[in-house]
Every structure is written in structure tokens, then in C-alpha cells.
Amino acid sequence: MSLPAINQEYLVDFLVKLLNVTSPTGFAEPAIAFVEKELSQFKQLELSRTRKGALVAKWNVESDQPPVALTAHVDTLGAVVKEIKSNGRLKLSRIGGIQWPTVETEGVWVFTSNGEKVRGSVLIDTASGHVHGAAGSETPRNDEHMEVRLDARTTSEKETRELGINIGDCVAFDPRVEVTNGFVRSRFLDDKACVANIVAAIKSIADAGLSPVRSAYFFISNYEEVGHGAAAGIPSDVAELVTVDMAVVGKGQESDEFSATLCVKDGGGPYHFGLNNKMRALAEKHNIPYKTDVYVFYGSDGEAFWHAGGDVALALIGPGIDASHNYERAHMDGLVATTNWIMAYLLD
Ligand SMILES: [Zn+2]
């Protein structure tokens, strides 16, 4: 069989829109709701939510074989307001360990608990070159010295509180999405690229009038960046789980932006040998450009499910993402390869 064509315009358009929906872990509901709305057009899918807020889409088909599941996460790195300083600026507590130098001078939205949002930007507390001279480059980029300057008239804690801002409010960094020459440059391609891959695969299969060969669950997770996204919520009759998450690109890695990768082992140990070989065979059969790789500083939602006692065969595939957890970049070739791999897995 040959795989149905991918609507690449749809894939990029959906991805760009999703990247522009803010969704730091703990505040990912807008992105979950966005994906839910998109998937609701496919009448083949039964949609539900876990109590934790993850989205589950089931494509039910008649089959003697047990169902499979694919998972990807919409939550991203971010921060919350830790402290309102006496000068009205904000100290932050980071979500998912974002590295400070990667967001210095970035624009942010502060979302208040009453639904307002306030614009601002991240700066070092010795930002002015004319005030601090060389000290600006020597100041350590850490929780102590990084602050949010609000684009609102405030010079005191009281005035900032009067804007509706409170301790614990969500702070989302601008993704800065740009599409050029087949490259998609943005924060948080990890893992919105893979959510787009899953949605584009579902659309291609549905548009071609096809169905998966066995029932499939699509688990869109909302707490991955803190380690427990898919720990619960994948039904116990699921026999195989394919985690779709970014592949690591950089020095010493096999992965690149123009291929999809099968991760054989990461920081959490090896994946499932049998399912790995099944994924390799599917890639070979359908001429999908793929690499195999080992990731060092990496754990996945599939492993979260294993740690929580999930009894499934587990694999991890995904497109190569350059400069992950930094200012990331993907290429259409890697996104298409991953989408094709998902389709091959579902259809073959
Ligand atoms: Zn990820």
C-alpha cells in the first residue's frame, strides 16, 4: 500500500497557529482546547478529557488486534510569578527548567487569575548599559537577577498588584514563529511540531477515506515538561504506545532536521526492542528518511507511563529539532517524514 498524501500547507498552518497559543505546563488548557476544536471536525474520533485535562481522541475500528496509542504534548517551558519586587518588576519561578540566557530580552504575557493579560519583557536587573557598564555582561543570568519589566505604569509592588498581577500567575514567553525556505523557527516546536504531525496524519487518513487497521488512541498530554504528562490516562487495553516527541540535533547526535528519528535509548533507558524493529521496518518499507539515535538529557512521556506501571511496548519517534529548549528550528522534510511514519504505523 502507498500512504495518502500529506496536505503540507495544512500542516504548517496548523503548527503556526498552535505555536502561537500559549501553553506553559500547568496553563496548557488553551492549547488543549485548540487541538480539541481542530480534531472535533473528524467525526471518526471520539473525544474525551482526563481529569488532569489531557485530551484523548479514540479512532475506533473493528479489529481482532488490541488498540494502540500515540502521544505528544502541547505543554511548554514557561514560568510563574514568584515575587513582586519593590520596584514593581517581577521575579519568576521557571517551569520545566528554561535556561535564562535563551529568554533574555524576550517578550512575555503575564496571565492574571482573573483572565486579564499584561505585556512585558525579560531583562537582567543590570540591563542599562549606560547605568551599569560592563557589569551587565558579568551579572549571572539566574533566578535572582532576571526580572520582568511590565509595559504598564508601575514602580511599586502596590501598583503592580493593582494591575491584577499576583504570585503564581502564568508567564508565557513569546514563541517568535517564522517560516522560511521550508524551515520553521520557533520556541516550543518541542512538542507542538509532533502534535501537528499527529493531527496532519489523522487529516490525511480521513481525507483519503481510510481508517487505522486497529483502534487507535491519540493522547495529547499537558504535563510532559515536568515529567508526568502521560503517566495516567492511557487505557489498559492499549498494547503499544508510540511517543511522538522531538529528536535531538547537535554535536554527537545522528538526528537531523530533514529526517525522523527512532530513539533507541534516552536518559530513562532503552525503549522496546520489538516495537523499535517494527518502526524501522515500516520506515524502510515506505521509504521514510529516518535515523536511529541515543539521547542523553532526555526523558519522554512514554517513559512516564512505564514508570507509572503502564504495561505496553513503547517506542519514541520524532522530527529533528535544532537547539531544543532554546530558539528551536525544524524543517518540513523532518515533519513530513514523521507524519508519514505515523500514517504507516496506523495503516500498515
Ligand atoms: Zn518534548
Side-chain angles (χ1 to χ4, degrees):
M1 64 156 309
S2 59
L3 300 174
I6 296 168
N7 184 334
Q8 293 194 29
E9 224 168 286
Y10 172 84
L11 169 54
V12 175
D13 183 63
F14 175 76
L15 175 56
V16 168
K17 285 181 184 149
L18 180 59
L19 287 164
N20 280 305
V21 179
T22 60
S23 54
T25 310
F27 306 88
E29 175 57 25
I32 289 280
F34 180 78
V35 178
E36 184 174 49
K37 182 155 182 282
E38 190 63 25
L39 291 182
S40 68
Q41 67 179 292
F42 303 109
K43 299 304 165 210
Q44 299 91 329
L45 300 177
E46 258 170 62
L47 302 181
S48 60
R49 294 288 198 99
T50 67
R51 295 185 194 99
K52 199 159 111 181
L55 175 64
V56 185
K58 185 183 187 190
W59 193 328
N60 202 30
V61 298
E62 295 273 324
S63 167
D64 298 336
Q65 292 182 286
V68 296
L70 291 111
T71 185
H73 65 94
V74 289
D75 62 304
T76 71
L77 308 179
V80 297
V81 177
K82 166 69 174 60
E83 198 180 316
I84 302 171
K85 297 168 76 166
S86 58
N87 63 2
R89 298 188 178 197
L90 310 175
K91 268 200 201 177
L92 302 182
S93 172
R94 293 171 292 153
I95 297 169
I98 199 160
Q99 303 286 321
W100 280 125
T102 70
V103 288
E104 186 173 358
T105 77
E106 190 58 279
V108 298
W109 286 108
V110 181
F111 293 89
T112 70
S113 52
N114 61 16
E116 302 289 311
K117 55 181 195 173
V118 182
R119 194 69 176 144
S121 53
V122 180
L123 292 172
I124 191 83
D125 60 3
T126 50
S128 172
H130 296 96
V131 175
H132 301 282
S137 11
E138 281 147 28
T139 306
R141 273 58 184 165
N142 59 24
D143 290 7
E144 187 56 33
H145 291 287
M146 302 304 287
E147 62 184 18
V148 170
R149 173 187 62 189
L150 298 165
D151 298 330
R153 289 201 173 211
T154 169
T155 52
S156 69
E157 179 187 345
K158 182 169 172 284
E159 286 171 308
T160 293
R161 285 189 188 269
E162 281 166 5
L163 296 169
I165 291 174
N166 222 319
I167 307 306
D169 286 351
C170 169
V171 179
F173 305 103
D174 287 357
R176 264 195 291 140
V177 189
E178 198 175 311
V179 181
T180 310
N181 289 334
F183 288 98
V184 183
R185 170 152 55 79
S186 177
R187 294 185 192 285
F188 315 134
L189 287 163
D190 171 12
D191 186 27
K192 289 177 173 176
C194 298
V195 175
N197 292 151
I198 288 177
V199 172
I202 291 170
K203 181 175 168 60
S204 294
I205 293 169
D207 287 355
L210 300 169
S211 302
V213 291
R214 50 206 281 196
S215 293
Y217 290 91
F218 305 97
F219 188 89
I220 308 300
S221 144
N222 58 341
Y223 274 88
E224 193 275 349
E225 291 291 1
V226 293
H228 58 76
I234 291 171
S236 59
D237 58 339
V238 165
E240 294 172 0
L241 173 61
V242 175
T243 308
V244 191
D245 209 334
M246 50 141 291
V248 180
V249 173
K251 189 164 176 271
Q253 300 298 134
E254 278 282 293
S255 306
D256 64 42
E257 292 163 277
F258 313 106
S259 317
T261 295
L262 175 79
C263 174
V264 175
K265 173 183 181 287
D266 65 16
Y271 285 80
H272 186 271
F273 186 73
L275 187 54
N276 283 349
N277 278 351
K278 179 175 171 178
M279 298 312 293
R280 281 187 233 254
L282 286 167
E284 305 274 351
K285 180 175 170 189
H286 294 278
N287 292 316
I288 296 164
Y290 81 103
K291 310 274 182 184
T292 56
D293 212 346
V294 172
Y295 310 152
V296 180
F297 303 106
Y298 198 108
S300 76
D301 242 347
E303 284 167 333
F305 186 58
W306 262 1
H307 279 291
D311 181 21
V312 288
L314 178 67
L316 169 62
I317 63 167
I321 302 291
D322 189 63
S324 51
H325 282 191
N326 201 308
Y327 193 25
E328 301 171 345
R329 196 179 68 169
H331 189 272
M332 278 311 290
D333 288 357
L335 301 178
V336 166
T338 306
T339 306
N340 275 324
W341 214 349
I342 293 167
M343 288 201 289
Y345 179 66
L346 291 169
L347 295 172
D348 201 349

